[in-house]
Amino acid sequence: MKCWCRGCGRCRHKERHQRATLRAKLTLSIIAMLTLGIAAALWVSTMGIRHYMVANIDSDLLASRSGLQRTGLTSDQVADLAAIADLSGKFAAENHSSRTLFTVVGRDGKAAPFGGVPLSPAQRALADAVPDAAALALRGEPVDATARGTGYRVTALRLGGSDGQLLLLANSTTAVTQTMHKVVRMVLTVGVVLVACLGTATFIGARRRLRPLEDMVETASAIAEGCPQGLDLSRRVAARGRAHSGGEVEQLRTALNAMLQQLETAFHTREHAAGQLRRFVEDASHELRTPLAAIRGYLQLEEKGMFKDETERARAMGRMNAEAERMARLVDELLALARLDQRPRLRPAPVDLACVARGAAADLSAQQPGRPVELGLPADCLVLADEPTLHQIVSNLLANVRIHTPADARVRVTVAEEDGHGVLRVADEGPGMRPQDAERVFDRFFRTGGAEGSGLGMAVVRAAVDAHGGTVRVTTAPGAGLTVAVALPSARPAAAAGPGPVTSAGPGPVTSAQARVEASSTTVTSGGAPTRTGGPQAPAPRVT
């Protein structure tokens, strides 16, 4: 079951558990690495201390052995020294400071008494701890030995005389062991305190640094879960001050906010397009229903024999033909829009825009002989366009003038080359449009008041111009007429374009209409950046 609330206990517990797990993992990882570092430092330091102290003990033993070897002592001389050593040993034992031990070893490897001095248990244990005293005498370095639980560094030398006895010299390593224990305890104590402090600091720092990530998770989860009222795509991840500025987390926050902005824009665009599509279907159904209802009504009258003479029948047939032609034009325009919405691959070729405009103006004069038409056309103006589509653009613009302006309203048609584009302008002296109407001039099925026509002409113009990569601009104001400017890519380089000669047809130049259009006007642009007044511009509808 989906949870619609944003703060239920289960969701909060899950989020807290995930965030706590990440913080715990970071903290444990840092503590583990710190512990390994302290352990490695402890091992290196203790080994170094032990090596240094053992090296000093070995140095003393080797110096003593070298001195005894130079004196060439015999067993008898050692026996004479035994009494002195025994007295020194007792005195040293009483002061608990004796760390040196020596004993004589016979040929059998056992401790041998000498000079009437009895052997101590430590001396017997030392002799037993060295299995091969003769080999040790030949060895250059002392070795480790343990006697009665005490560690020693032991070396040996052969005494003078014919009895072949050996003398074992040993120094206790108790001081080394005690020093190492102290070092280990001290390092462990400091390490534990250090790990605890750094672990606490790491946990607090990780919690503080992960707060932006928590905000991101909360925002993304709220958008993903939604609510019964719908999605709230306006939520963003707020910055947490200068302490969290910069770095990867801030970059991630910025990227997430940019992604959310794109999602919100795309969602609103899709919703708007869906609404426009629904309105388009409704309007198309209404527009098609009207002529179909009229035709069906006349047919039912014919079936019932309601027409009493040929005059009524002819009038009915004329009305049905008119409605059929209207429906045919509507279907043709809908098909043209559908084809342009599918982004067809046009075959643009150089087309003389001035020639097309001249022909369309001639058609307008033939349809409305009383309308003043003024032309401002160069000798030629080549643009890259699909010729049938270009004819449809120009025809729709002049048809818009013919339908929506009085029959005696002046119209001016001009063509010029500007900034690498061929620009067609159609300006009339009709009633103009209000700003709110001008903003919807490209909407499908839009008509002002009770105007005639299908309301698709300007929509077809905009779709066709967009398909050619051009722009269309409408400039109008109430009582100032309407000017439509269509810009299409030129078919020749800008350096070769020239104004050319201008020809005119009609009763005379336009008087002050263009000035009134430019002053206090509303401008709506399609295919480029809009420049407009009179309220926000609604996005252009498109059928996909």
Side-chain angles (χ1 to χ4, degrees):
M1 181 177 179
K2 187 174 181 179
C3 177
W4 289 104
C5 65
R6 298 182 181 177
C8 71
R10 183 179 62 182
C11 296
R12 290 198 303 267
H13 175 74
K14 183 178 180 181
E15 293 176 1
R16 285 197 300 267
H17 175 71
Q18 293 174 348
R19 295 194 293 266
T21 301
L22 180 58
R23 289 196 296 266
K25 287 181 179 179
L26 289 175
T27 304
L28 290 178
S29 299
I30 295 177
I31 290 177
M33 289 187 292
L34 181 61
T35 303
L36 290 177
I38 293 176
L42 176 61
W43 184 83
V44 171
S45 61
T46 52
M47 290 300 101
I49 292 174
R50 184 182 186 282
H51 178 76
Y52 173 76
M53 297 184 70
V54 169
N56 288 337
I57 294 175
D58 291 347
S59 177
D60 293 342
L61 287 176
L62 293 177
S64 299
R65 187 179 73 171
S66 297
L68 291 174
Q69 285 177 341
R70 284 195 301 270
T71 59
L73 291 175
T74 63
S75 301
D76 297 335
Q77 291 173 337
V78 171
D80 293 337
L81 296 173
I84 300 174
D86 182 52
L87 293 174
S88 299
K90 289 180 180 179
F91 179 77
E94 291 174 358
N95 291 275
H96 304 284
S97 60
S98 178
R99 295 177 181 174
T100 302
L101 184 65
F102 69 92
T103 184
V104 176
V105 178
R107 292 180 181 274
D108 56 357
K110 301 295 183 181
F114 56 92
V117 179
L119 296 174
S120 66
Q123 290 176 318
R124 295 180 184 277
L126 178 63
D128 295 337
V130 179
D132 191 355
L136 182 59
L138 299 176
R139 186 184 178 95
E141 296 293 332
V143 297
D144 290 318
T146 302
R148 302 185 65 185
T150 302
Y152 292 91
R153 292 289 289 177
V154 184
T155 186
L157 65 117
R158 188 173 295 277
L159 297 174
S162 59
D163 52 4
Q165 291 183 334
L166 299 170
L167 180 64
L168 294 179
L169 299 176
N171 272 357
S172 174
T173 58
T174 302
V176 176
T177 303
Q178 292 175 351
T179 302
M180 291 180 62
H181 288 169
K182 292 179 180 179
V183 171
V184 170
R185 286 195 298 270
M186 181 183 67
V187 173
L188 287 179
T189 302
V190 175
V192 169
V193 174
L194 183 62
V195 168
C197 294
L198 290 182
T200 303
T202 300
F203 184 81
I204 296 175
R207 182 177 181 180
R208 182 169 173 268
R209 293 293 180 182
L210 289 178
R211 284 177 182 173
L213 294 181
E214 296 176 5
D215 296 340
M216 298 177 200
V217 171
E218 181 180 356
T219 302
S221 299
I223 293 176
E225 293 174 1
C227 62
Q229 289 75 24
L231 292 176
D232 181 14
L233 295 176
S234 62
R235 296 186 57 145
R236 297 294 182 269
V237 182
R240 281 190 171 267
R242 298 179 59 185
H244 297 277
S245 61
E248 291 78 2
V249 175
E250 178 63 19
Q251 295 175 4
L252 179 60
R253 185 191 70 84
T254 304
L256 180 60
N257 283 341
M259 183 187 69
L260 292 177
Q261 179 64 39
Q262 294 291 335
L263 288 176
E264 183 181 11
T265 303
F267 181 79
H268 289 320
T269 301
R270 188 190 68 175
E271 290 293 317
H272 181 77
Q276 292 288 341
L277 179 59
R278 287 191 297 269
R279 288 191 295 271
F280 171 76
V281 173
E282 293 172 358
D283 293 341
S285 301
H286 175 74
E287 293 292 335
L288 290 173
R289 188 187 306 117
T290 302
L292 287 175
I295 294 173
R296 182 166 51 187
Y298 284 117
L299 290 176
Q300 290 175 353
L301 291 175
E302 175 66 21
E303 290 177 356
K304 295 179 180 180
M306 300 298 293
F307 300 123
K308 297 179 180 180
D309 52 25
E310 290 298 328
T311 302
E312 293 182 356
R313 183 176 290 103
R315 186 176 64 84
M317 292 299 296
R319 291 297 303 162
M320 284 191 292
N321 287 333
E323 294 295 335
E325 291 177 0
R326 175 188 172 191
M327 186 168 58
R329 288 194 303 269
L330 181 62
V331 172
D332 290 341
E333 291 176 342
L334 288 175
L335 289 176
L337 281 174
R339 182 175 64 88
L340 293 172
D341 284 340
Q342 292 175 358
R343 301 291 183 179
R345 179 173 295 180
L346 301 177
R347 293 181 174 85
V351 182
D352 189 357
L353 178 59
C355 181
V356 174
R358 188 177 295 109
D363 294 340
L364 178 62
S365 296
Q367 293 173 345
Q368 293 181 332
R371 180 185 294 274
V373 178
E374 181 178 348
L375 300 180
L377 306 176
D380 63 348
C381 180
L382 298 179
V383 296
L384 288 175
D386 180 69
E387 186 171 358
T389 308
L390 181 60
H391 278 281
Q392 188 174 20
I393 292 173
V394 180
S395 300
N396 282 12
L397 291 178
L398 293 180
N400 187 67
V401 173
R402 176 175 54 83
I403 295 173
H404 298 288
T405 61
D408 58 349
R410 187 184 303 273
V411 60
R412 176 177 173 83
V413 180
T414 61
V415 172
E417 295 220 14
E418 300 176 0
D419 299 330
H421 288 78
V423 180
L424 167 68
R425 288 185 175 86
V426 178
D428 63 63
E429 295 185 6
M433 302 177 69
R434 297 177 302 172
Q436 57 269 30
D437 293 333
E439 291 171 0
R440 298 186 57 194
V441 70
F442 295 115
D443 288 0
R444 301 176 184 188
F445 298 108
F446 174 73
R447 294 190 295 266
T448 57
E452 298 179 356
S454 63
L456 294 173
M458 295 301 290
V460 172
V461 169
R462 188 197 59 179
V465 172
D466 288 346
H468 285 85
T471 59
V472 56
R473 172 179 296 215
V474 172
T475 305
T476 184
L482 181 140
T483 300
V484 181
V486 174
L488 297 174
S490 178
R492 54 188 175 185
V502 177
T503 61
S504 64
V510 178
T511 59
S512 72
Q514 187 68 24
R516 290 202 310 271
V517 168
E518 295 297 333
S520 180
S521 63
T522 297
T523 301
V524 180
T525 301
S526 176
T531 303
R532 50 173 169 51
T533 61
Q537 180 182 4
R542 181 172 297 278
V543 178
T544 57

